[in-house]
Amino acid sequence: SQKIEQNSEALNIQEGKTATLTCNYTNYSPAYLQWYRQDPGRGPVFLLLIRENEKEKRKERLKVTFDTTLKQSLFHITASQPADSATYLCATIKAAGNKLTFGGGTRVLVKP
Amino acid sequence: EPEVTQTPSHQVTQMGQEVILRCVPISNHLYFYWYRQILGQKVEFLVSFYNNEISEKSEIFDDQFSVERPDGSNFTLKIRSTKLEDSAMYFCASRLETGEDEKLFFGSGTQLSVL
């Protein structure tokens, strides 16, 4: 069955540094991969989408890469700020599917 | 910005009781979803709904669960006979037709506690 995995260990980072999160998937080839932010007690909020034929996508201080050979996506937060502290979720959908499957999320804590 | 609204924000019920969780998706969206998240665990897919019928469902979504879009604006999740393990945060989500707008918009969730 399809699996999508993120590093469950929290990432503690100093303000101003770059946070890098990893998302790995196995047993399928997603049409695209999405990243969401989730704050405690709240629903996920969409951040970025990257398609299988794209290598990199940027939005303000966020950058996502997608390596279909490694079956991996990297999510970068540059010049991190305490307000970036949250859990970040990756999610994928199969080429012919409708269901968005989430990874377990990585919690990021940016210290001032 | 338009948003998905869910009610109630908290629901406490006794085991064996029926609950209905309500959602108002974004008005021009066509795909509707229910997800749940048990405390400390991942966001899990339950069901997707399109064109007035279920398009996909997970193993979690058994005969105790049902969904309805009764009036063109509301989207409901019913659990017929709640179990302790149904305690979780339930999120409704919606999205526009396929294409550039594949992103999901989530509501703030209903925290369901089964006692």
Side-chain angles (χ1 to χ4, degrees), chain A residues 21-25 33-35 50 63-67 70-76 90:
Chain A
L21 286 63
T22 304
C23 176
N24 295 293
Y25 58 91
L33 191 143
Q34 301 183 9
W35 285 87
I50 187 164
K63 185 178 89 170
V64 172
T65 62
F66 196 4
D67 188 327
L70 292 178
K71 292 186 180 291
Q72 182 181 82
S73 174
L74 298 179
F75 177 83
H76 307 270
C90 69

Coordinates of all heavy atoms in Angstrom, one line a residue, chain A residues 21-25 33-35 50 63-67 70-76 90:
Chain A
L21 N 12.7 20.2 5.8 CA 11.9 19.1 6.2 C 11.9 18.1 5.0 O 11.9 18.5 3.9 CB 10.5 19.5 6.5 CG 10.2 20.2 7.8 CD1 10.9 21.5 7.9 CD2 8.7 20.4 8.0
T22 N 11.7 16.8 5.4 CA 11.8 15.7 4.4 C 10.5 15.0 4.3 O 9.8 14.7 5.4 CB 12.9 14.7 4.7 OG1 14.1 15.4 4.8 CG2 13.0 13.7 3.6
C23 N 10.1 14.6 3.1 CA 8.9 13.8 2.9 C 9.2 12.7 1.9 O 9.7 13.0 0.8 CB 7.7 14.6 2.4 SG 6.2 13.7 1.9
N24 N 9.1 11.4 2.3 CA 9.4 10.3 1.5 C 8.1 9.5 1.2 O 7.3 9.3 2.1 CB 10.4 9.4 2.2 CG 11.8 10.1 2.3 OD1 12.5 10.4 1.4 ND2 12.1 10.3 3.6
Y25 N 8.0 9.0 0.0 CA 6.8 8.2 -0.3 C 7.3 6.9 -1.0 O 8.3 6.8 -1.6 CB 5.8 8.9 -1.2 CG 6.4 9.4 -2.5 CD1 6.3 8.7 -3.6 CD2 7.0 10.7 -2.6 CE1 6.8 9.1 -4.8 CE2 7.5 11.1 -3.8 CZ 7.4 10.3 -4.9 OH 8.0 10.8 -6.1
L33 N 2.5 16.7 -5.2 CA 2.7 16.6 -3.8 C 2.4 18.0 -3.2 O 2.7 19.0 -3.8 CB 4.1 16.2 -3.5 CG 4.5 15.8 -2.1 CD1 5.5 14.7 -2.1 CD2 5.0 17.0 -1.3
Q34 N 1.7 18.0 -2.1 CA 1.3 19.3 -1.5 C 1.9 19.4 -0.1 O 2.2 18.4 0.6 CB -0.2 19.4 -1.3 CG -0.9 19.3 -2.7 CD -2.4 19.5 -2.5 OE1 -2.9 19.8 -1.4 NE2 -3.2 19.2 -3.6
W35 N 2.1 20.6 0.4 CA 2.6 20.9 1.7 C 1.5 21.8 2.4 O 1.0 22.7 1.8 CB 3.9 21.5 1.8 CG 5.1 20.6 1.5 CD1 5.5 20.2 0.2 CD2 5.8 19.8 2.4 NE1 6.5 19.3 0.4 CE2 6.7 19.1 1.7 CE3 5.8 19.7 3.8 CZ2 7.7 18.2 2.3 CZ3 6.7 18.9 4.4 CH2 7.6 18.1 3.7
I50 N 3.5 21.0 -5.8 CA 4.5 20.7 -6.8 C 4.1 19.5 -7.6 O 3.7 18.5 -7.0 CB 5.9 20.6 -6.2 CG1 7.0 20.6 -7.3 CG2 6.0 19.5 -5.2 CD1 8.4 20.8 -6.8
K63 N 10.3 27.0 -0.1 CA 10.8 26.4 -1.3 C 10.5 24.9 -1.2 O 10.8 24.3 -0.1 CB 12.3 26.6 -1.5 CG 12.8 26.0 -2.9 CD 14.3 26.3 -3.1 CE 15.2 25.2 -2.5 NZ 16.6 25.4 -2.9
V64 N 10.0 24.3 -2.2 CA 9.8 22.8 -2.2 C 10.5 22.2 -3.4 O 10.5 22.8 -4.5 CB 8.2 22.6 -2.4 CG1 8.0 21.1 -2.6 CG2 7.5 23.0 -1.1
T65 N 11.1 21.1 -3.2 CA 11.7 20.3 -4.3 C 11.0 19.0 -4.4 O 10.4 18.5 -3.4 CB 13.2 20.1 -4.2 OG1 13.4 19.4 -3.0 CG2 13.9 21.5 -4.1
F66 N 11.1 18.4 -5.6 CA 10.4 17.1 -5.8 C 11.3 16.2 -6.6 O 11.6 16.6 -7.8 CB 9.1 17.3 -6.5 CG 8.1 16.2 -6.5 CD1 8.3 15.0 -5.8 CD2 6.9 16.3 -7.2 CE1 7.4 14.0 -5.8 CE2 6.0 15.3 -7.3 CZ 6.2 14.2 -6.5
D67 N 11.8 15.1 -6.1 CA 12.7 14.2 -6.8 C 12.0 12.9 -6.9 O 11.9 12.1 -6.0 CB 14.0 14.1 -6.0 CG 15.1 13.3 -6.7 OD1 14.7 12.4 -7.5 OD2 16.3 13.6 -6.5
L70 N 14.3 9.7 -6.3 CA 14.5 9.4 -4.9 C 13.2 9.2 -4.1 O 13.1 8.7 -3.0 CB 15.2 10.5 -4.2 CG 16.7 10.8 -4.5 CD1 17.3 12.0 -3.8 CD2 17.5 9.5 -4.2
K71 N 12.0 9.5 -4.8 CA 10.7 9.5 -4.2 C 10.7 10.3 -2.9 O 10.3 9.9 -1.8 CB 10.3 8.1 -3.9 CG 10.1 7.2 -5.1 CD 9.5 5.9 -4.8 CE 9.2 5.0 -6.0 NZ 8.1 5.5 -6.8
Q72 N 11.1 11.6 -3.1 CA 11.3 12.5 -1.9 C 11.0 13.9 -2.3 O 11.3 14.4 -3.4 CB 12.7 12.4 -1.5 CG 13.1 13.2 -0.2 CD 14.5 13.0 0.2 OE1 15.4 13.7 -0.4 NE2 14.8 12.1 1.1
S73 N 10.4 14.6 -1.3 CA 10.2 16.1 -1.4 C 10.9 16.7 -0.2 O 10.8 16.2 0.9 CB 8.8 16.4 -1.5 OG 8.6 17.8 -1.5
L74 N 11.6 17.8 -0.5 CA 12.2 18.6 0.6 C 11.4 20.0 0.6 O 11.1 20.5 -0.4 CB 13.6 18.9 0.3 CG 14.6 17.7 0.3 CD1 16.0 18.1 0.0 CD2 14.5 16.9 1.5
F75 N 11.2 20.4 1.9 CA 10.5 21.6 2.1 C 11.4 22.5 3.0 O 11.9 22.1 4.0 CB 9.2 21.3 2.9 CG 8.4 22.5 3.3 CD1 7.5 23.1 2.4 CD2 8.4 23.0 4.6 CE1 6.7 24.2 2.8 CE2 7.7 24.1 5.0 CZ 6.8 24.7 4.1
H76 N 11.7 23.7 2.4 CA 12.6 24.6 3.1 C 11.9 25.9 3.5 O 11.1 26.5 2.7 CB 13.7 25.1 2.1 CG 14.4 23.9 1.5 ND1 15.5 23.3 2.1 CD2 14.2 23.2 0.3 CE1 16.0 22.3 1.3 NE2 15.2 22.3 0.2
C90 N 3.1 16.9 4.6 CA 3.1 16.7 3.2 C 2.0 15.8 2.9 O 1.5 15.0 3.7 CB 4.5 16.2 2.7 SG 4.9 14.5 3.2

